[in-house]
Each structure stands twice: as C-alpha cells, then as structure tokens.
Amino acid sequence: MAFALCAGLGQTAAMAATYKVDFEGTLRSGTQRVDCPPESVDCAGFMQDLPLQGQSFSMSLTFEIGATPGRPGFSTVHHVSTDPNSGRSYDSRWATERYADWATNDAAAAQIPALPSASPNTFDGAAGVTHTVYTSATRSRNVRSWTDNQQVLGASEGWSLLSTEIWQDASGAGFQNFVALSGRSPFSAASADRYDDREPLAYFLDMLQQGTRCQQCVQLQWFDSTLSRNGLSSGVRVDGVGRLVSITEVAAAVPEPSTYALILAGVAAIGAVARRRGAGAALKS
C-alpha cells in the first residue's frame, strides 16, 4: 500500500524502507454528531454517545520513509507567553520531524478502517470534488524555558502515525476520514536549544518500540466528519488506548528471473549505445 502512494505521485519507491505497525487495544468512548449548525460552539444538543466502551479493536498502518516532493520534512514553531503567577515570560519551542509524509490521489492508498455508525459520504465520486489521501509518520519535541535566562522548565516528546482521506468541493464543503496512533516518549533537555535537534530514523523506530512495552502506551484517534454546503457538520469520533504488537520492515519484492533478464538486456542496450556514441565522438575529433 505504501508503494501505491509513490506510484500515484510518479515517484520511484524501489529502494525506500517501508514499515508496518500492528496495534491492538480497546475503545474508550464514541460520539456521533448530527447536523450541528455553524453558530453552535460545542455542538451541545447535537451529540449522542455510542455504546463502544470496552470493545476490542485492532488495526495495521503502513508507512514508507520519504515525502512527496515539496512537502517539508522538518518545521519549527516558537511562541512567547506570560506566566500568570510570576508575570515572567517564557518560550515554548516545538519541532516536528517527518519521517514519512506522502500525499496522493490514489484511493487504494487509504488505510482507514470502517467506523462504527460511519457517516454517509455523499462526496465520493461527485463531480467537481478533489480527493486526496495523506500518510505521515512524525516525531514532535517541545521545550519550555524562561525567556530571560533560558532555564528549562519542561520538555516532552511524542510520535504519531496517521492516515487521512479528504474529499472537498470548490465551496469548501467535504468529507474526511481519519485515523491516528500516537504515544509519548521520555525526553529531558539540559538546554533550551535541544528542541530542534534532528534525529535519525533509528531514533524514531525506538520511540515506536516503546509502544510495545505496556498495555496502554498508545492512543487511538479515529473519526469521520462531514461539512455540508449549508454549513451543517456531522460525524463520528472514537477514542481508544492500547499497544503496538509489532513493528516490522516490509521486504521489497524479489524480481522474477524474467525481470532480471529484462534488466540485464536493458543494461546491455545502454552499454551498446554508449559505445556507439563514444566511437562517433572519436571520428569527429
């Protein structure tokens, strides 16, 4: 499936690393929102609970290292706020590193399970509607420090894997499917400038591995959402908790013998062309 992401973008994925993550856990809560008007801040009165608590759930997500050309692999954010107790200002710095960040219009790349009481998607296949599938694997780090002396007040780090599918028309109305797995990882910073350190893929995979070591280390977010042309919103949201059962690298397919023959024939043809061009150049000189 991850290879389909690249194929839809015209990219070559033969040498890319692809990973499959298996999750198992239980659902904690579920809600359904029906025709919430835009003037409602919290949609109270348009929500109902779904009886999902305690139900077992499992799924898999596949992600390929790399990104669609033009999509940034690293970003930072810096905010300055005031502590209400002391009046001192403090800095909050975030950095996000994306190990996988793919976008495609290939519907086969979507990895989102069917939700309980899923909302109807009236935008799928409709004229004038764009359809995009996103898959990402990210690490985020936050460091907070006093502005005046840069003393570190706290630091945290987390990871997320997500797949989302979006249909949207020219008016901004549309439908979205979304699923994400996320977790926190221990991190301490001796200095505020540690927030934007780049980390290798092995570091990220070790963060995921920590999600296999306890029964409730991984959070599940799972929802669909519809925004109609008249501004009404509907959707289903499910939250859960669990663990990663396994993290495996997906092996690339081994070419058939006939494929090897075609490759060798292509190499031989390229060599013959190069020799002819070399001979022609020698004659001209």
Side-chain angles (χ1 to χ4, degrees):
M1 185 170 291
F3 281 14
L5 288 170
C6 287
L9 296 162
Q11 301 299 309
T12 301
M15 301 303 293
T18 304
Y19 293 88
K20 177 174 175 285
V21 171
D22 296 305
F23 167 86
E24 66 178 21
T26 56
L27 305 182
R28 282 187 162 180
S29 63
T31 56
Q32 186 168 25
R33 183 181 73 257
V34 180
D35 291 339
C36 176
E39 61 270 17
S40 177
V41 176
D42 56 6
C43 290
F46 302 91
M47 307 281 289
Q48 62 182 30
D49 292 332
L50 298 175
L52 302 175
Q53 187 173 4
Q55 291 188 19
S56 298
F57 175 76
S58 62
M59 65 169 294
S60 298
L61 271 177
T62 301
F63 63 95
E64 182 183 306
I65 303 306
T68 302
R71 294 177 69 84
F74 191 83
S75 61
T76 60
V77 177
H78 176 205
H79 287 307
V80 180
S81 305
T82 302
D83 177 49
N85 297 319
S86 65
R88 294 174 66 185
S89 64
Y90 63 93
D91 297 301
S92 294
R93 295 179 171 90
W94 289 268
T96 300
E97 188 164 12
R98 298 169 181 84
Y99 298 89
D101 192 20
W102 292 101
T104 178
N105 56 10
D106 183 2
Q111 307 182 64
I112 306 166
L115 273 160
S117 303
S119 305
N121 180 6
T122 60
F123 292 86
D124 189 14
V129 171
T130 61
H131 174 226
T132 310
V133 179
Y134 299 94
T135 302
S136 71
T138 64
R139 176 188 62 84
S140 60
R141 181 178 292 172
N142 168 237
V143 177
R144 292 173 291 109
S145 61
W146 292 120
T147 302
D148 50 14
N149 60 10
Q150 291 300 294
Q151 177 188 351
V152 174
L153 300 171
S156 62
E157 189 167 47
W159 59 267
S160 68
L161 304 173
L162 71 84
S163 179
T164 183
E165 193 171 11
I166 298 172
W167 293 259
Q168 190 170 39
D169 67 14
S171 73
F175 184 88
Q176 179 181 12
N177 267 333
F178 177 93
V179 69
L181 302 174
S182 62
R184 306 303 299 174
S185 185
F187 174 73
S188 61
S191 61
D193 60 5
R194 284 289 314 280
Y195 86 101
D196 61 351
D197 288 353
R198 308 267 183 133
E199 303 292 355
L201 174 62
Y203 185 93
F204 177 71
L205 294 176
D206 185 64
M207 292 178 70
L208 297 184
Q209 192 65 39
Q210 294 176 38
T212 67
R213 296 171 187 158
C214 73
Q215 296 298 315
Q216 298 187 347
C217 290
V218 179
Q219 304 296 316
L220 165 71
Q221 290 181 304
W222 186 19
F223 67 80
D224 65 27
S225 182
T226 301
L227 179 63
S228 65
R229 292 178 180 88
N230 59 9
L232 299 179
S233 65
S234 302
V236 172
R237 180 186 175 95
V238 174
D239 294 291
V241 67
R243 70 185 184 100
L244 299 183
V245 180
S246 62
I247 307 158
T248 54
E249 183 172 0
V250 180
V254 177
E256 296 291 334
S258 58
T259 305
Y260 279 121
L262 289 173
I263 294 173
L264 291 173
V267 171
I270 292 171
V273 171
R275 286 192 296 273
R276 286 197 296 271
R277 287 179 177 174
L283 291 172
K284 290 178 182 178
S285 61

